[in-house]
Amino acid sequence: MADDSRLPEDDVMLAETPGEEDVGEARPDDRIDDERMDEENTLKREYVDAVEQALEAGDTKAVYELVEPLHPADIADLLELFEREQRYQLAAAITDLMTSEVVAELNDYVREDMMEALPPEAVAQIVDQLETDDAVQLIEDLDEADQRAILAEVELEDRIAIQSALSYPEETAGRLMSRDFVAVPEHLTVGDLIDFLREGRDLPDEFYEVFVVDEKHHPVGTCALSWVLRAPRSIPLADVMKRDQTLVPVTLDQEEVGLMFQKYNLISAAVVDENERLVGQMTVDDVVHIISEEAGEDALLMSGAGEGDINEPIREAYSARVRWLVANLGTALIASLIIALFGAAIEQLVALAVLMPIVASIGGNAGTQTMAVTVRAIATNQLTRSNTRRILMREIRVAVLNGLTIAVLVGLATGVIFTPMLGGVIALAMVINVITAGLAGVLVPVAFERLDQDPAVASSVFVTMITDSMGFFAFLGLAVASGIVG
């Protein structure tokens, strides 16, 4: 753990999560207002500047009054807008407003940084207030020594649950599931269930359905709360429960969980271990975060930008990006060697040097378009082994149409400005390169997926290499073959 002097425990102690009444009185749901929030529900620059000025002046009372009306999610946004030292000052100034709800909403890097600055007992206080899945997310990126120190301060029941979650691979249902759910035996009646729920012993604060299990704790059905409320008390649960349910394996990747929720329109789903025993549940609020995270991750991976988080440490951002730039440099050399092969032809006709970047650029853009569609289709299970051939033929047809359209335009323009022969050469080269781009845009991501590699990671580098190389080779080769140059 970091030096306690950076963020004293006495100054920054996260308060107990307030109850519903406290939340309603302390932070009314007035997030969109003229003073703090704009029409896009983001914090106004003037408001952020006012908080910063109060921090610089050391006026903690003014800081507290400015921040106090904010929703926990907006407080998290405010913390993320400041530099590290200012975050510590702000956290120290608002003390009891720094609830576990705020911590759960923080950006991963910001949360990790702030947790490392707190002593283990303070972090343990936060963990005790969080749901298991949020608690796991809070400490999973910390060093093992820090994790052990924090878990030693956590209550035994929570410690066991968190350690169990940490035993599963990252980004799987086991890490993300909530262990707070309602499960009842199948022999109960509707009346028995209602009485049990009204007693309210150790029930989650929020839940959408009740899981029905057999004597081995295998889920055999679900009961939506709306069904329970409308059914007569005397009817057995077995007669009203939904037996056809979607079960989530504990080791299932989070991306597959998101696709499952989308496909079957789920609100919640039971998570089962390798023995088909009920161990947790996934809910739609968790899945919304997963879908957003996976969509952003794929877009960033295709650009080689790593995690792409503006709060990511500079060293990590550099390491993630530079390796793909180096790889890109290597593939660019291949295109340069092709150009070098036709150096004499380019010297005879300068127009070739003027026009060949156009062929490569259009091909690159066409390849990127196809690759983006393909990667998304793979990620959403729209492109599988059963329809790869059909999708490939579809993209070839699109590429032919695109290639012909661009070829006519660039061919006519080149024929008018230079010579008709050169116009025909660049038109044919354009058709060849755009079709090649369509093929590469499908085949490269599919090849990576078949090799069990993430198709979003390196597809762009190879697709660009193929389209650039083919563009230069087709254009310059056709120019030589046509006799325009010797």
Side-chain angles (χ1 to χ4, degrees):
M1 300 300 289
D3 184 358
D4 293 354
S5 62
R6 293 172 59 198
L7 191 58
E9 181 185 1
D10 293 336
D11 291 336
V12 182
M13 183 62 70
L14 283 93
E16 296 291 326
T17 305
E20 292 183 10
E21 294 181 1
D22 295 330
V23 173
E25 294 174 3
R27 287 182 295 280
D29 194 11
D30 61 348
R31 284 167 282 171
I32 303 178
D33 57 67
D34 294 335
E35 296 180 0
R36 296 176 291 275
M37 314 297 292
D38 59 22
E39 63 277 2
E40 296 178 352
N41 199 24
T42 58
L43 296 169
K44 286 185 176 180
R45 179 178 178 179
E46 295 82 1
Y47 170 75
V48 177
D49 289 343
V51 175
E52 185 174 13
Q53 291 169 9
L55 283 173
E56 291 175 353
D59 191 347
T60 56
K61 181 180 179 181
V63 172
Y64 189 95
E65 290 176 351
L66 284 167
V67 177
E68 190 268 341
L70 293 180
H71 186 275
D74 295 320
I75 295 177
D77 288 344
L78 182 62
L79 284 162
E80 292 170 12
L81 292 173
F82 290 121
E83 295 292 339
R84 173 184 290 184
E85 295 304 322
Q86 288 179 312
R87 288 183 197 134
Y88 298 155
Q89 295 174 28
L90 177 57
I94 61 178
T95 55
D96 61 311
L97 300 180
M98 283 290 295
T99 64
S100 59
E101 292 175 295
V102 174
V103 175
E105 294 291 339
L106 285 172
N107 169 275
D108 291 346
Y109 289 104
V110 175
R111 182 173 56 244
E112 182 180 350
D113 178 56
M114 296 193 72
M115 292 306 99
E116 289 180 346
L118 284 169
E121 55 270 21
V123 180
Q125 256 193 343
I126 305 167
V127 171
D128 283 333
Q129 299 170 26
L130 294 172
E131 301 289 344
T132 304
D133 52 336
D134 291 328
V136 170
Q137 189 178 18
L138 189 152
I139 67 173
E140 65 181 349
D141 293 326
L142 299 178
D143 296 336
E144 283 191 26
D146 293 341
Q147 290 183 6
R148 287 195 297 269
I150 293 167
L151 290 174
E153 302 290 335
V154 176
E155 293 183 6
L156 179 61
E157 183 178 351
D158 292 334
R159 185 191 315 159
I160 294 173
I162 294 171
Q163 288 175 329
S164 174
L166 290 173
S167 67
Y168 296 109
E170 291 186 20
E171 298 188 348
T172 60
R175 280 283 184 101
L176 301 168
M177 69 182 180
S178 171
R179 285 166 172 75
D180 294 325
F181 57 88
V182 180
V184 296
E186 57 184 328
H187 62 75
L188 295 185
T189 65
V190 170
D192 295 333
L193 175 58
I194 291 174
D195 293 338
F196 169 74
L197 295 176
R198 283 177 176 170
E199 289 178 8
R201 294 175 299 180
D202 299 326
L203 293 180
D205 292 332
E206 295 182 3
F207 58 97
Y208 310 103
E209 59 184 352
V210 175
F211 299 107
V212 183
V213 296
D214 61 18
E215 65 278 359
K216 295 182 179 179
H217 211 64
H218 296 160
V220 295
T222 61
C223 283
L225 295 181
S226 57
W227 303 353
V228 174
L229 291 174
R230 291 182 295 181
R233 291 179 58 89
S234 59
I235 294 182
L237 287 181
D239 292 345
V240 296
M241 70 181 183
K242 179 183 178 182
R243 294 184 180 275
D244 182 19
Q245 58 180 321
T246 302
L247 302 179
V248 179
V250 74
T251 55
L252 189 66
D253 183 83
Q254 66 173 18
E255 189 170 6
E256 296 299 322
V257 174
L259 293 173
M260 188 179 290
F261 268 69
Q262 284 182 302
K263 182 176 181 178
Y264 298 113
N265 296 318
L266 302 177
I267 299 298
S268 62
V271 181
V272 294
D273 63 14
E274 59 277 5
N275 297 315
E276 298 294 320
R277 297 178 70 254
L278 178 64
V279 292
Q281 70 167 340
M282 294 291 299
T283 53
V284 69
D285 57 326
D286 298 316
V287 173
V288 168
H289 289 292
I290 291 172
I291 294 172
S292 175
E293 179 182 321
E294 290 291 339
E297 182 181 277
D298 286 345
L300 290 165
L301 288 174
M302 281 195 293
S303 67
E307 301 243 348
D309 195 306
I310 60 174
N311 294 293
E312 184 180 14
I314 292 176
R315 180 177 297 179
E316 293 182 21
Y318 162 75
S319 175
R321 299 182 195 182
V322 73
R323 62 174 177 264
W324 291 112
L325 293 177
V326 171
N328 208 1
L329 176 62
T331 57
L333 289 174
I334 297 175
S336 299
L337 291 175
I338 292 175
I339 295 173
L341 291 176
F342 297 93
I346 295 173
E347 289 178 0
Q348 293 179 41
L349 187 60
V350 177
L352 296 179
V354 174
L355 295 173
M356 64 184 187
I358 298 176
V359 181
S361 176
I362 295 297
N365 286 336
T368 300
Q369 289 176 342
T370 306
M371 180 189 65
V373 171
T374 304
V375 169
R376 181 183 179 278
I378 292 173
T380 57
N381 286 340
Q382 291 179 310
L383 195 161
T384 64
R385 290 178 182 268
S386 61
N387 68 344
T388 299
R389 185 188 299 273
R390 181 174 64 81
I391 297 300
L392 179 61
M393 296 307 299
R394 173 189 181 277
E395 290 301 324
I396 289 176
R397 289 195 291 269
V398 173
V400 169
L401 293 173
N402 286 337
L404 290 174
T405 302
I406 300 300
V408 169
L409 295 175
V410 74
L412 290 174
T414 302
V416 171
I417 298 173
F418 297 101
T419 65
M421 179 65 75
L422 186 58
V425 167
I426 194 172
L428 182 56
M430 191 69 74
V431 172
I432 292 172
N433 201 28
V434 172
I435 293 175
T436 301
L439 286 168
V442 174
L443 294 178
V444 170
V446 167
F448 275 108
E449 196 268 338
R450 298 287 166 83
L451 294 171
D452 291 327
Q453 302 296 317
D454 191 337
V457 173
S459 294
S460 61
V461 173
F462 288 95
V463 169
T464 301
M465 177 195 71
I466 292 170
T467 55
D468 284 354
S469 300
M470 178 54 70
F472 294 139
F473 182 78
F475 180 53
L476 297 175
L478 287 170
V480 173
S482 66
I484 294 177
V485 292

